[in-house]
Amino acid sequence: MSDPRFDALQQWLERGLGLMNYRLAPASEDASFRRYFRVHYRGMSLIVMDAPPEREDCRSFVHVARGFRGLGLNVPEVLEQDLERGFLLLTDLGEHQYLRVLNARNASTLYRDALVALRLLQGGESAQGLHLPPYDQDLLLKEMGLFQEWYLERHLGIEVGTTLEKVFERLAASALAQPQVPVHRDYHSRNLMMTEQANPGILDFQDAVKGPVTYDLVSLLRDCYIAWPQDRVLVWLYDYRRQAARAGIPVGASEAEFLRWFDWMGVQRHLKASGIFARLNVRDKKSGYLKDIPRTLGYIRTVARRYGELAELDGVLRDFSNQ
């Protein structure tokens, strides 16, 4: 099958960068329109990104990569770029994705490293100098709207009208009330790589924003792709809060307040994720993410049952689960 972009990518590597006698292999799957290939060249392994400019903007990737590297985070270095055509040549962080290597024995070590890196991202004046766009109310509400449009209406064929509007507004207000810090926005086991030095390697950061302090914690500890017992999650959560407070990161007045922020932020994120997974199936014919929806819905229901202000959401989930 013809693939004009792949042909153009090879021409860029050969004519633009002078690479010859290299070998390309698919490097990873992506839920966006980006593609990644591993370039084997003269005993080295590099990554080349193909991001169609009408769908993706490489400029944000380049900007955030530079900023995150300045914070001491282990992210790919941009070696070469063609922003007009959407091609980037990057250093390679390896093939050991957290999701593939995590188990009950190594989880505490791997999460410890990930939480240390998260403190680097959230703390310090240099982090505030990244000039990231705000995670504002419009974006928070738009993301939750994906759940109603793509999961309830298009995937399940269920109309709920305005039933969830007040819940969505409460969740957005909780997120905006939190201290605002740099947010990776997809800080989870599919985007963290186990590396021998400066673990973890961090990927897929181009959509970073300035937003709620608990957002990346939810992404990591209530991961859409792997779940851990609640008592273990709380140990990690409260330990992070103590360490972050010592580093000068604003974490609220009490553990109870921080847990509420974390719980409610998780509902917002998992509503968004459920909608995205349904959209990938309905619109993009990528059904592989459907298997993760029970996990994200499970997180939502567990939290919604705990807080009376989220009763409407629990009711909607209960109603369609009983159909």
Side-chain angles (χ1 to χ4, degrees), residues 99-112:
L99 183 60
R100 295 176 183 168
V101 300
L102 272 167
N103 58 52
R105 295 184 304 277
N106 66 20
S108 290
T109 298
L110 293 179
Y111 277 93
R112 179 199 62 204

Side-chain angles (χ1 to χ4, degrees), residues 33-98:
F33 295 97
R34 293 181 297 274
R35 296 189 296 180
Y36 298 89
F37 299 93
R38 184 162 277 109
V39 184
H40 299 281
Y41 177 69
R42 292 185 176 178
M44 296 185 298
S45 180
L46 303 171
I47 296 292
V48 63
M49 178 199 293
D50 168 22
E54 70 277 9
R55 298 282 193 175
E56 307 285 345
D57 185 1
C58 283
R59 289 171 177 81
S60 61
F61 185 99
V62 173
H63 168 71
V64 178
R66 184 181 301 116
F68 279 16
R69 285 179 66 83
L71 298 177
L73 296 171
N74 185 11
V75 301
E77 180 181 358
V78 179
L79 302 174
E80 300 286 350
Q81 60 189 50
D82 184 333
L83 298 178
E84 296 303 317
R85 290 194 288 179
F87 299 145
L88 297 178
L89 186 67
L90 312 169
T91 53
D92 187 358
L93 298 183
E95 302 181 63
H96 300 297
Q97 187 184 62
Y98 259 42

Side-chain angles (χ1 to χ4, degrees), residues 151-171:
Y151 183 69
L152 293 180
E153 296 176 3
R154 301 208 186 189
H155 181 66
L156 296 181
I158 294 173
E159 297 284 343
V160 297
T162 60
T163 303
L164 297 178
E165 284 186 2
K166 292 297 184 184
V167 172
F168 290 174
E169 289 172 2
R170 291 179 195 127
L171 291 167

Side-chain angles (χ1 to χ4, degrees), residues 115 118-119 122 174 177-181 211-218 221-222 233-245 249-266 306-307:
L115 292 169
L118 184 57
R119 288 201 303 274
Q122 292 188 344
S174 175
Q178 295 184 35
Q180 305 292 290
V181 298
V213 68
T214 63
Y215 191 92
D216 283 339
L217 278 169
V218 164
L221 302 181
R222 288 192 181 144
V233 169
L234 292 180
V235 168
W236 288 328
L237 178 70
Y238 293 143
D239 182 65
Y240 182 81
R241 182 179 180 274
R242 287 190 293 271
Q243 297 293 336
I249 298 168
V251 290
S254 66
E255 286 186 349
E257 180 178 50
F258 199 66
L259 177 60
R260 181 185 175 93
W261 286 346
F262 178 81
D263 279 344
W264 285 44
M265 194 74 259
R306 199 178 295 149
Y307 297 93

